[in-house]
Coordinates of all heavy atoms in Angstrom, one line a residue:
G4 N 46.0 -149.1 43.1 CA 47.1 -149.5 43.9 C 48.2 -148.4 44.1 O 48.1 -147.5 43.2
A5 N 48.9 -148.4 45.0 CA 49.9 -147.3 45.3 C 50.7 -147.0 44.1 O 51.0 -145.8 43.7 CB 50.6 -147.5 46.6
T6 N 51.3 -148.1 43.5 CA 52.3 -147.9 42.5 C 51.6 -147.7 41.2 O 52.4 -147.2 40.4 CB 53.2 -149.1 42.3 OG1 52.3 -150.3 42.0 CG2 53.9 -149.4 43.7
Q7 N 50.4 -147.8 41.1 CA 49.8 -147.7 39.7 C 49.6 -146.1 39.4 O 49.3 -145.8 38.4 CB 48.4 -148.4 39.6 CG 48.5 -149.9 39.5 CD 49.0 -150.3 38.1 OE1 49.4 -149.5 37.3 NE2 49.0 -151.5 37.9
S8 N 49.5 -145.3 40.5 CA 49.2 -144.0 40.4 C 50.3 -143.0 40.3 O 50.2 -141.8 40.0 CB 48.1 -143.5 41.3 OG 48.3 -144.2 42.5
G9 N 51.5 -143.4 40.7 CA 52.7 -142.7 40.6 C 52.9 -141.4 41.5 O 52.7 -140.4 41.0
G10 N 53.1 -141.7 42.7 CA 53.4 -140.6 43.6 C 52.3 -139.6 43.7 O 51.1 -139.9 44.1
R11 N 52.5 -138.4 43.5 CA 51.6 -137.4 43.6 C 50.4 -137.5 42.7 O 49.4 -136.7 42.8 CB 52.2 -136.0 43.4 CG 53.2 -135.7 44.6 CD 53.7 -134.2 44.3 NE 54.9 -134.0 45.2 CZ 55.5 -132.8 45.0 NH1 55.2 -132.0 44.2 NH2 56.7 -132.7 45.8
S12 N 50.5 -138.4 41.6 CA 49.4 -138.5 40.7 C 48.4 -139.3 41.2 O 47.4 -139.6 40.5 CB 49.9 -139.0 39.3 OG 50.4 -140.3 39.5
S13 N 48.5 -139.8 42.4 CA 47.5 -140.7 43.1 C 46.1 -139.9 43.1 O 46.0 -138.7 43.3 CB 47.9 -141.3 44.3 OG 48.1 -140.2 45.3
L14 N 45.0 -140.7 43.0 CA 43.7 -140.1 42.9 C 43.2 -139.6 44.4 O 43.4 -140.4 45.3 CB 42.7 -141.0 42.4 CG 43.1 -141.5 40.9 CD1 41.9 -142.5 40.4 CD2 43.3 -140.3 40.0
K15 N 42.6 -138.6 44.5 CA 42.1 -137.9 45.8 C 40.6 -138.1 45.9 O 40.2 -138.7 46.8 CB 42.5 -136.6 46.0 CG 44.2 -136.3 46.0 CD 44.8 -136.7 47.3 CE 46.2 -136.3 47.3 NZ 46.8 -136.6 48.5
L16 N 40.0 -137.5 44.8 CA 38.5 -137.5 44.9 C 37.9 -138.3 43.8 O 36.7 -138.8 44.0 CB 38.0 -136.1 44.6 CG 38.4 -135.0 45.7 CD1 38.0 -133.6 45.3 CD2 37.6 -135.3 47.1
L17 N 38.7 -138.6 42.8 CA 38.1 -139.3 41.6 C 37.8 -140.8 42.0 O 38.7 -141.5 42.8 CB 39.1 -139.3 40.5 CG 38.5 -139.7 39.0 CD1 37.4 -138.6 38.7 CD2 39.7 -139.7 38.1
R18 N 36.6 -141.4 41.8 CA 36.4 -142.7 42.1 C 36.2 -143.5 40.8 O 35.3 -143.3 39.9 CB 35.1 -142.8 42.9 CG 35.2 -142.1 44.2 CD 36.1 -143.0 45.1 NE 36.5 -142.3 46.4 CZ 37.6 -141.7 46.6 NH1 38.6 -141.5 45.7 NH2 37.8 -141.1 47.7
V19 N 37.1 -144.4 40.5 CA 37.2 -145.1 39.1 C 36.0 -145.8 39.0 O 35.3 -146.0 37.9 CB 38.4 -145.9 39.0 CG1 38.4 -146.8 37.8 CG2 39.7 -145.1 39.1
A20 N 35.4 -146.6 40.0 CA 34.2 -147.3 39.9 C 32.9 -146.6 39.5 O 32.1 -147.0 38.8 CB 33.9 -148.1 41.2
A21 N 32.9 -145.2 40.0 CA 31.6 -144.5 39.9 C 31.7 -143.4 38.9 O 30.7 -142.8 38.3 CB 31.3 -143.9 41.2
D22 N 32.9 -142.9 38.4 CA 33.2 -141.7 37.7 C 33.5 -142.0 36.3 O 34.2 -141.2 35.6 CB 34.2 -140.8 38.3 CG 33.7 -140.3 39.7 OD1 32.5 -140.2 39.9 OD2 34.5 -140.2 40.6
G23 N 33.1 -143.0 35.7 CA 33.4 -143.4 34.3 C 33.0 -142.2 33.3 O 33.8 -141.9 32.3
D24 N 31.8 -141.8 33.4 CA 31.3 -140.8 32.6 C 32.1 -139.4 32.7 O 32.5 -138.9 31.6 CB 29.8 -140.4 32.7 CG 29.0 -141.7 32.4 OD1 29.3 -142.5 31.5 OD2 27.8 -141.7 32.8
L25 N 32.5 -139.1 33.9 CA 33.3 -138.0 34.1 C 34.7 -138.1 33.5 O 35.2 -137.2 32.9 CB 33.5 -137.7 35.6 CG 34.3 -136.6 36.1 CD1 33.8 -135.2 35.6 CD2 34.6 -136.6 37.5
I26 N 35.3 -139.3 33.7 CA 36.6 -139.5 33.0 C 36.6 -139.5 31.7 O 37.5 -139.0 31.0 CB 37.1 -140.9 33.6 CG1 37.4 -141.0 35.1 CG2 38.5 -141.4 32.9 CD1 37.5 -142.4 35.7
G27 N 35.6 -140.0 31.0 CA 35.5 -140.1 29.6 C 35.3 -138.6 29.1 O 35.9 -138.2 28.1
D28 N 34.5 -137.9 29.8 CA 34.3 -136.4 29.4 C 35.6 -135.6 29.6 O 36.0 -134.9 28.7 CB 33.3 -135.8 30.3 CG 32.9 -134.4 30.0 OD1 32.9 -134.0 28.7 OD2 32.7 -133.6 30.9
A29 N 36.2 -135.9 30.6 CA 37.6 -135.2 30.8 C 38.6 -135.6 29.7 O 39.3 -134.6 29.3 CB 38.1 -135.5 32.2

């Protein structure tokens, strides 16, 4: 949602549904 990501911190390329392993690694 727009308000969940906080202005410029909104996600551009990251896909929460698909990038779980990447997020965990990061």
Side-chain angles (χ1 to χ4, degrees):
T6 58
Q7 288 286 13
S8 36
R11 293 184 195 173
S12 64
S13 58
L14 304 182
K15 301 280 188 181
L16 294 173
L17 201 63
R18 295 292 172 261
V19 177
D22 295 331
D24 292 342
L25 175 70
I26 293 168
D28 182 35

